[in-house]
Amino acid sequence: MPSPPPPLLLLLLLLGVAAEALEPITVGIAIGAASALTGYLSSPRFYCAFLECCPGDKDRPNGTALKLNLDEKLFGQHLAKEVILKAVTGFANNPNPKKPLTLSLHGWAGTGKNFVSQIVADNVHKGGLKSKYVHLFLSTLHFPHDHQIKLYKDQLQKWIRGNVSACAKSVFIFDEMDKLHPGLIDAIKPFLDYYEQIDGISYRKAIFIFLSNAGGDLITKVTLDFWKNGRAREEIQLKDLEPVLSIGVFNNKHSGLWHSSLIDRNLIDYFVPFLPLEYKHVKMCIRAEIQARGNPLDESIVEKVADEMTFFPKDERIFSDKGCKTVQTKLDFH
């Protein structure tokens, strides 16, 4: 099958009949216009308007949009909001980062870790989690067998090398880190280190995000201590949790980062704690979900759904033991 004519030739063929009746000057103008249009059609700007392209150096996340998304979708997490906003915008605005941005998000289920990874993906790539430059790994799905760790390590290195070769600003999200086989994550250690290049490829503009329930008990203890001492949760600072969290995760066999060189070599930039959610935060989640569905806000429904959630400690009933994780299914029922 013959290949289709190039754009300029195609345009000239379309203009051919009309051109026979035109003066030479007019024909010249038509050819010039066709040539200019062809150049525009083949330009990256035109191409990227219809197909996803890897962001260039001038394409940076909008800090204002990122803050707005965090404010609208993340509740009760003043620490996570502050760290994520500063870390992502600071990294994106650095023309020459010395290493990839590496974030480790910790906390019980339903506290907002997945929301944050989605928000970051949305702000770095137009397609968000659907982008071909955003890669989600689930421990139980992609790395299920402990006797195949060597194979998984090889595959993981090839996946990261190939994807960063295609787009320097690739985003890699590792969910269920607490279910990851110990030692497996160390396979990506070279990509997170301070190397300018590895085999001709620079990994310095990539983003790596780890999601884990590990450390949730440590975070809850600190948050509960603040509550018992009559101190607001907003008084909790990163310095109150980050050192305890990094040590606790490093010494936890079920963290996925157990004795990991990523911690030992200080290659994780931020350990981000997600605090357990209180009753008022659960109600915020319910309202947001109702509005996201386009339904009118009914406070009686909000109260009913919130009252069906379970809280701990059993006597005080302060924190939701599932965060906002079951809000959607309970709303479906009501």
Side-chain angles (χ1 to χ4, degrees), residues 8-22 27 30-31 34:
L8 178 57
L9 178 58
L10 183 60
L11 284 171
L12 291 176
L13 289 173
L14 292 173
L15 293 171
V17 176
E20 291 180 359
L22 298 176
V27 173
I31 293 174

Side-chain angles (χ1 to χ4, degrees), residues 30-253:
I31 293 174
S35 178
L37 181 58
T38 303
Y40 175 71
L41 291 176
S42 60
S43 70
R45 182 178 177 184
F46 177 82
Y47 176 85
C48 296
F50 295 93
L51 296 173
E52 185 183 17
C53 294
C54 178
D57 289 336
K58 294 182 180 179
D59 299 317
R60 297 171 183 172
N62 185 325
T64 303
L66 177 58
K67 184 179 185 305
L68 184 62
N69 282 335
L70 291 170
D71 287 340
E72 290 180 346
K73 298 178 181 179
L74 189 64
F75 307 114
Q77 304 297 352
H78 67 285
L79 285 176
K81 282 183 183 180
E82 180 182 6
V83 174
I84 296 299
L85 182 61
K86 289 182 177 179
V88 174
T89 54
F91 179 75
N93 290 321
N94 184 352
N96 187 29
K98 300 303 180 186
K99 65 178 294 296
L101 176 63
T102 309
L103 306 171
S104 192
L105 316 186
H106 297 266
W108 293 130
T111 51
K113 300 185 300 296
N114 282 289
F115 260 138
V116 165
S117 62
Q118 179 180 334
I119 290 169
V120 172
D122 288 340
N123 278 267
V124 176
H125 295 285
K126 292 180 180 178
L129 292 179
K130 296 180 180 178
S131 168
K132 60 184 177 181
Y133 304 121
V134 175
H135 313 280
L136 174 63
F137 298 98
L138 301 173
S139 297
T140 53
L141 176 64
H142 295 104
F143 316 109
H145 307 297
D146 57 1
H147 63 277
Q148 293 187 333
I149 290 181
K150 186 180 184 303
L151 173 64
Y152 296 151
K153 285 184 175 183
D154 292 340
Q155 290 178 335
L156 196 51
Q157 289 182 345
K158 288 177 182 177
W159 287 335
I160 292 175
R161 188 181 298 115
N163 285 306
V164 174
S165 297
C167 180
K169 294 187 177 182
S170 292
V171 176
F172 300 94
I173 302 170
F174 293 82
D175 199 358
E176 302 177 330
M177 280 292 293
D178 46 301
K179 298 179 178 65
L180 192 70
H181 305 296
L184 176 54
I185 201 63
D186 281 355
I188 71 171
K189 180 257 176 192
F191 308 129
L192 305 187
D193 216 325
Y194 291 82
Y195 299 117
E196 187 171 350
Q197 287 188 347
I198 301 175
D199 294 332
I201 302 171
S202 173
Y203 297 86
R204 291 181 167 186
K205 294 184 179 179
I207 296 177
F208 292 81
I209 304 175
F210 305 133
L211 311 181
S212 178
N213 291 347
D217 52 344
L218 299 172
I219 297 169
T220 298
K221 182 181 183 305
V222 172
T223 311
L224 188 58
D225 286 344
F226 267 71
W227 180 84
K228 287 180 177 178
N229 292 324
R231 300 176 64 185
R233 64 192 282 129
E234 288 74 21
E235 292 183 44
I236 302 175
Q237 300 180 35
L238 193 61
K239 66 181 182 181
D240 297 318
L241 281 167
E242 194 172 35
V244 177
L245 196 53
S246 62
I247 294 172
V249 170
F250 183 79
N251 292 318
N252 184 349
K253 285 187 177 182

